[in-house]
Amino acid sequence: MMKIDIRLILLLLLLAGAQSAAWPVHTAKPGGIAVIAVSQGENPPAVLFDATRALLIYQESTWYAVVGIPLSHPVGTASISVSGNGLPDRSINFEIVPYAYRQQHLQVNRNYVEPDAATLERIFSERKIIDAALNHWQDAAVESLTLAAPVAGQRSTSFGSRRFFNNQPRSPHSGMDIAANLGTTVIAPLDGVVVATGNYFFNGNTVLIDHGQGFITMYCHLDRIDVAEGDRVARETPLGIVGATGRVTGPHLHFGTYLGGTAVDPALVLPADH
Ligand SMILES: [Zn+2]
């Protein structure tokens, strides 16, 4: 005999909700995110990974460090250092597992592969601005690391791909490309503060948002920017529209997610693609 218990259904719904937690799953690979329990109690400890402050979250009386692992990080045993909270300083080890990223070959205008001296100077000065924004720190509590999709569209899985532009090796792909038509509105995926906007040689029209404790997101190749440095944005605030500015092969959004200045795979902080 089948008898449906409404309390059981409610319990199952509750458990399903708990499954879609606001924090990323521990994925300790180069380009991934490590989530490590560091201490108990109300006071947050101080946590460093490779001399960079880690983002902290508090759940059920436990502090967790959320750490971005660089694509260039060696695999094997790594460690974070934990101090404060009345306990002696200590380190906690964790294992970084290998992951085989693919190769990607792209053809672009020659000046994006062999820039002249003046352009190299421009690239160098822009790199400093972008790095400063990516390493920005504000002490805000981070309520969630689960983002809204900044734009609807097909998501690439090319994060971390070793890239060749016109057959010349370049840095690995540090974000996710989302296919969308020219002019599609791009929204903020979470509350934050705009830390930089600009027209950069490779990234085109770009917005960078600080969500607190070193969690930064980046939006590139925009056709138009609709926010300014210092603006507070809420989840779903329009940031601009999709374009094809900078080093691109067509209109799309390049979406980057960073922890402590380290690019991590945006797929780890986005809900599953439908
Ligand atoms: Zn991209």
Side-chain angles (χ1 to χ4, degrees), residues 37-40 45 80-83 87-92:
V38 287
S39 67
Q40 303 275 320
I80 54 172
S81 72
V82 183
S83 60
L87 294 165
D89 294 0
R90 65 208 163 93
S91 44
I92 299 176

Side-chain angles (χ1 to χ4, degrees), residues 163 173 177 252 254:
R163 297 208 299 183
H173 192 216
D177 292 335
H252 71 277
H254 171 99

Side-chain angles (χ1 to χ4, degrees), residues 239-264:
L239 303 176
I241 57 174
V242 170
T245 55
R247 184 180 60 184
V248 295
T249 55
H252 71 277
L253 176 69
H254 171 99
F255 177 48
T257 51
Y258 293 79
L259 284 167
T262 292
V264 295

Side-chain angles (χ1 to χ4, degrees), residues 31-34 49 66-70 259-260 262-264:
I33 300 173
F49 174 58
V66 180
V67 168
I69 302 165
L259 284 167
T262 292
V264 295

